[in-house]
Amino acid sequence: MASRSAFGILIVFIFLWTAADASAFLPPKIFNVLNYGARADGNTDNSQAFLRAWIDACRWKGRSRVLIPGGIYLLHSVTLLGPCLGEMTFMIRGTLRAPNNPALFFTDTWIGFRYVDNLSVKGGGYLDGQGASAWPYNDCFKNSQCLSLPISLRFDFIRNSKIQYIRSINSKKAHINLFACDNINISYVRLTAPENAPNTDGIHIGASTNIKISRVNIGTGDDCISMVSGSQNIDISEVNCGPGHGISIGSLGRGFENEYVMGISVRNATFSNTQNGVRIKTWSPSLSSLAANISFHNIIMQDVNNPVIIDQKYCPSCPPSGDESVSKVQIRDVKFSNIWGTSSSQVALSLQCSKLVPCQDVKLVDIDLAYRGQGGPAIASCSNVIGTSYGRQVPRGCL
């Protein structure tokens, strides 16, 4: 009798488990923005239609897909909130166009997602930030009363999610921003803006963990990828960067003392005609912090102005000074390996570390960077660095 009872309980458990898991195999429910009043005419603001479609999809107890079909959709600033009851897909087939009226774009977000788990943003469509209308207002370097400009795609507190097959052009500020995110996969995206478009970072990461970026093409007016305080376990591979300012860690040390940067891997990347290649930069002076366990491997440089650089004297608004860095950010366990190509400046490798906390355990392995301009071959410039070098070293004389 007991065995029959146990068998019955097992059957009920299997039934309940199967029913609960069945939604994973069912096709997603489609929430087409056209059914919520969206108009693909390039002139009508569709933010409320998108918001209504998102709210209904978010409340669906199963897999949901917000669908933006082909066409041009004018979209004012909108933030799409979770948590949601099931997996969410934001499928962009058409072109989303940002407003170019200054009365409508002084905000920090164009399209935002917050507090969502298991989100996919994809579809092969375009995000047209219409940045040329906003770039003249980007004057914060000289105007303390400057107004915010919107990031094209902002992700705050997002987990276990993917961003794929998206093309973003002419962002007003950064193209993609990750804050307080975990386990995000970004792949097959193309992000472009003119090289003179200010602060148009491709992907900006802060206070986020377990981020994977691969197979992306980025050409902008600022960093292709930037990582600031709290960025940990970031894996970057197969990136084509240029034009732009390269891939940067920092600037660090201005705030968030205990939010260290650790576990950064950049590999199989190509930089073409960029201002920098791979860079770590910290403020000087700065608060105490740490950047450690960082690897740059298998990197191609094509006429890059500063191919390999650690800059612990970073302070764009400070007057020029020959003084040594007084940064308190400790940089340690950094490896530059198999980096080759051409530098557009004679100083192809520059490691300028802090006098207060010198860089520790820096490794240079198989570096081959040529300079063919006036003044002779490429040179290296290093200070306050403790480390070793192995294999081919061009230029020589750093470690």
Side-chain angles (χ1 to χ4, degrees):
M1 185 69 179
S3 62
R4 288 184 181 180
S5 177
F7 180 74
I9 292 172
L10 178 62
I11 293 298
V12 171
F13 173 79
I14 292 173
F15 173 79
L16 292 174
W17 177 83
T18 304
D21 197 55
S23 62
F25 300 98
L26 295 175
K29 183 173 177 61
I30 306 299
F31 297 83
N32 190 325
V33 295
L34 295 178
N35 296 332
Y36 290 83
R39 297 179 63 181
D41 59 10
N43 297 307
T44 304
D45 171 34
N46 291 288
S47 55
Q48 291 305 308
F50 278 45
L51 188 59
R52 288 192 293 268
W54 173 268
I55 290 172
D56 280 359
C58 189
R59 291 172 176 171
W60 179 255
K61 295 181 179 179
R63 296 166 61 210
S64 303
R65 176 178 295 174
V66 175
L67 174 64
I68 301 99
I72 299 175
Y73 301 82
L74 178 64
L75 188 66
H76 294 181
S77 176
V78 63
T79 297
L80 307 173
L81 299 174
C84 297
L85 297 181
E87 294 183 11
M88 297 289 293
T89 297
F90 194 75
M91 179 72 73
I92 306 170
R93 296 292 194 193
T95 296
L96 307 185
R97 178 178 289 171
N100 59 9
N101 182 346
L104 299 172
F105 63 57
F106 287 121
T107 179
D108 64 359
T109 304
W110 177 27
I111 303 168
F113 298 88
R114 305 192 78 189
Y115 305 110
V116 185
D117 199 356
N118 292 308
L119 167 69
S120 292
V121 178
K122 59 183 181 179
Y126 279 88
L127 304 178
D128 181 1
Q130 300 216 88
S133 61
W135 298 327
Y137 297 96
N138 195 316
D139 61 351
C140 295
F141 64 95
K142 62 180 181 181
N143 176 14
S144 61
Q145 303 300 316
C146 63
L147 299 173
S148 295
L149 292 174
I151 291 165
S152 286
L153 270 179
R154 180 184 289 274
F155 298 89
D156 298 333
F157 309 99
I158 305 297
R159 299 176 64 249
N160 307 315
S161 297
K162 297 179 181 180
I163 306 160
Q164 299 176 310
Y165 301 103
I166 293 296
R167 289 168 286 187
S168 173
I169 61 174
N170 298 329
S171 58
K172 291 182 173 70
K173 200 174 180 183
H175 291 265
I176 296 174
N177 189 90
L178 306 180
F179 174 75
C181 294
D182 178 65
N183 191 25
I184 307 295
N185 188 321
I186 302 176
S187 60
Y188 300 103
V189 302
R190 182 181 294 272
L191 313 173
T192 58
E195 60 182 317
N196 62 349
N199 298 118
T200 51
D201 291 53
I203 302 171
H204 182 75
I205 303 168
S208 295
T209 56
N210 303 310
I211 309 299
K212 183 176 182 180
I213 300 170
S214 63
R215 299 179 178 90
V216 299
N217 290 277
I218 305 174
T220 70
D222 210 307
D223 295 327
C224 290
I225 301 173
S226 58
M227 294 157 276
V228 296
S229 300
S231 299
Q232 299 188 4
N233 298 328
I234 314 295
D235 184 82
I236 300 169
S237 64
E238 298 180 71
V239 174
N240 290 313
C241 172
H245 295 181
I247 293 180
S248 293
I249 296 172
S251 304
L252 306 178
R254 179 57 65 91
F256 310 102
E257 287 186 83
N258 297 320
E259 294 190 6
Y260 300 155
V261 173
M262 304 179 69
I264 310 297
S265 172
V266 179
R267 66 189 192 281
N268 302 332
T270 299
F271 298 83
S272 302
N273 302 109
T274 53
Q275 185 181 103
N276 306 293
V278 291
R279 174 172 61 162
I280 304 172
K281 56 179 180 174
T282 73
W283 290 97
S284 176
S286 77
L287 300 173
S288 298
S289 193
L290 173 68
N293 187 18
I294 298 166
S295 172
F296 303 100
H297 175 68
N298 200 25
I299 309 291
I300 299 172
M301 305 289 182
Q302 299 174 340
D303 294 324
V304 173
N305 196 49
N306 301 297
V308 177
I309 180 169
I310 294 178
D311 179 8
Q312 291 208 261
K313 298 173 65 176
Y314 183 76
C315 187
S317 61
C318 296
S321 172
D323 295 338
E324 294 205 57
S325 168
V326 291
S327 174
K328 294 181 182 178
V329 178
Q330 174 70 75
I331 296 174
R332 69 170 185 241
D333 189 16
V334 180
K335 185 177 182 180
F336 301 95
S337 62
N338 196 27
I339 299 177
W340 60 277
T342 56
S343 173
S344 61
S345 69
Q346 189 173 15
V347 181
L349 189 149
S350 177
L351 308 180
Q352 306 300 321
C353 295
S354 172
K355 181 180 180 180
L356 297 180
V357 282
C359 296
Q360 298 180 5
D361 194 21
V362 175
K363 296 182 177 68
L364 300 176
V365 182
D366 293 323
I367 308 296
D368 191 352
L369 296 168
Y371 170 68
R372 299 187 177 91
Q374 297 181 349
I379 61 175
S381 173
C382 303
S383 63
N384 304 311
V385 186
I386 301 170
T388 54
S389 60
Y390 306 91
R392 184 172 176 83
Q393 295 295 316
V394 180
R396 300 184 63 85
C398 195
L399 297 176

